Amino acid sequence: MVVGRAMNRSVVRVTDLPERLAQGVAERVVALVVDALDFDALLARVDIDALLDRVDVAAVLDRVDIDALLDRIDVERLVARIDLASTMAGTATSAAEETLAALRRTTERGDDLAARWADRLVRRT
Amino acid sequence: MSSDPLDGNYAGAVSRLAAYVVDLAAMSVLLTAGSAVVVYLVAVITGHQLHLSSDRDLAAVGLALWWVFYFAGSWATTGWTPGMGLFGVRVVRADGTPASVPAAVLRAMALPLSVALFGLGFLGILFQAQRRALHDLIAGTAVIYGPPGSNAPRGARRRGRSGPR
């Protein structure tokens, strides 16, 4: 039994070296291939439209478990990250400013109209 | 070219009329609420019940004081009443500087005169070169376009445009 264990250990040591060698060679080959690839040229040859045509979006969506996805979303944390109050205040302020500016533009147009009318009345140019 | 620094910046009849209507509404609401508070406080403190609707003299004095306080106070401090602020117009002296307290008080007191003359006092807004009404001429003031809070006029925003001034 003791002899068997010793043999196993020596076999492991013997196979270690070629395995590491093969691993190193494989990594080097992959690195050389990747370096040699021109990804821009490769992507230029890809027909994105054709690719998208082949994607069945409905089937992809069917495979998505929406409930599980929603369960994983921490809504409270999400809401906490959105500054809702300042967003709403900003929107309201902006809308009020636009309304006010429109109101003033309208009355100013009325001013011009009234002035032109008065001018015509007294035949002043 | 005109030497008037405010030329082309004088506010017209529609803006001023709209501001006046808003001010009358605001003034009425505030006067009604204020009167109710005064009547209540007088009743609580003195036990005397005021009847403003029957005591016309007291009501007239109250209205006159409130009128002057509302208009003159606004013009002397900011140059604009709430209604004028809404429509982007303000009162200045004829030379464009902010209206003084005496000018603002005089204007507030002269304003009813323009109304009392069957509105003829307002015709200057349409026909006068600087669009000044009777109460403007009396108080030495003018109404110009300009953002509330700013001491400078809107900057001849409309200068160079054709049309009556």
Side-chain angles (χ1 to χ4, degrees):
Chain A
M1 206 150 157
V2 175
V3 176
R5 271 192 213 140
M7 277 184 70
N8 276 345
R9 251 183 260 133
S10 61
V11 169
V12 169
R13 268 192 225 113
V14 168
T15 54
D16 265 359
L17 186 63
E19 259 181 34
R20 263 184 273 157
L21 201 63
Q23 180 79 24
V25 169
E27 282 173 6
R28 180 72 186 137
V29 168
V30 169
L32 285 171
V33 171
V34 169
D35 285 346
L37 283 175
D38 183 352
F39 281 101
D40 288 334
L42 206 61
L43 285 173
R45 294 180 66 182
V46 176
D47 186 350
I48 298 290
D49 290 333
L51 198 67
L52 288 175
D53 284 345
R54 291 178 65 182
V55 175
D56 186 350
V57 179
V60 171
L61 287 176
D62 282 346
R63 294 180 68 179
V64 176
D65 186 350
I66 298 290
D67 290 333
L69 196 68
L70 289 175
D71 285 345
R72 292 179 65 183
I73 296 173
D74 186 348
V75 178
E76 282 180 13
R77 201 173 149 203
L78 193 71
V79 170
R81 290 182 67 177
I82 301 170
D83 193 351
L84 204 61
S86 74
T87 305
M88 285 177 72
T91 308
T93 306
S94 164
E97 280 171 358
E98 279 175 26
T99 307
L100 198 60
L103 184 73
R104 287 175 180 175
R105 276 197 301 274
T106 305
T107 52
E108 282 176 22
R109 274 200 295 273
D111 290 342
D112 284 341
L113 203 67
R116 274 201 298 273
W117 173 81
D119 205 37
R120 218 173 288 151
L121 203 69
V122 295
R123 298 177 186 282
R124 186 168 55 184
T125 53
Chain B
M1 193 174 160
S2 171
S3 60
D4 183 356
L6 300 175
D7 188 25
N9 224 22
Y10 292 107
V14 175
S15 295
R16 291 175 65 168
L17 179 66
Y20 186 57
V21 169
V22 170
D23 281 326
L24 281 186
M27 238 187 70
S28 303
V29 170
L30 291 172
L31 182 65
T32 307
S35 302
V37 171
V38 168
V39 168
Y40 175 75
L41 287 178
V42 168
V44 167
I45 294 166
T46 67
H48 178 70
Q49 191 69 41
L50 280 178
H51 294 286
L52 290 176
S53 53
S54 56
D55 194 343
R56 287 179 182 270
D57 290 343
L58 187 62
V61 169
L63 176 64
L65 286 175
W66 175 237
W67 176 280
V68 172
F69 177 78
Y70 179 91
F71 283 111
S74 301
W75 295 329
T77 52
T78 59
W80 49 275
T81 56
M84 295 177 104
L86 188 66
F87 290 95
V89 296
R90 63 198 175 91
V91 174
V92 291
R93 285 164 75 173
D95 60 1
T97 55
S100 60
V101 174
V105 172
L106 190 58
R107 191 175 194 270
M109 291 169 72
L111 179 55
L113 188 64
S114 294
V115 182
L117 292 172
F118 305 103
L120 292 175
F122 294 106
L123 285 181
I125 300 173
L126 283 173
F127 298 108
Q128 210 258 350
Q130 296 173 321
R131 297 185 175 182
R132 293 167 75 189
L134 178 63
H135 50 278
D136 283 317
L137 295 170
I138 291 172
T141 56
V143 180
I144 58 169
Y145 294 110
S150 142
N151 278 334
R154 215 179 273 184
R157 189 181 46 84
R158 311 164 125 208
R159 193 173 297 164
R161 288 180 64 167
S162 60
R165 293 288 169 242

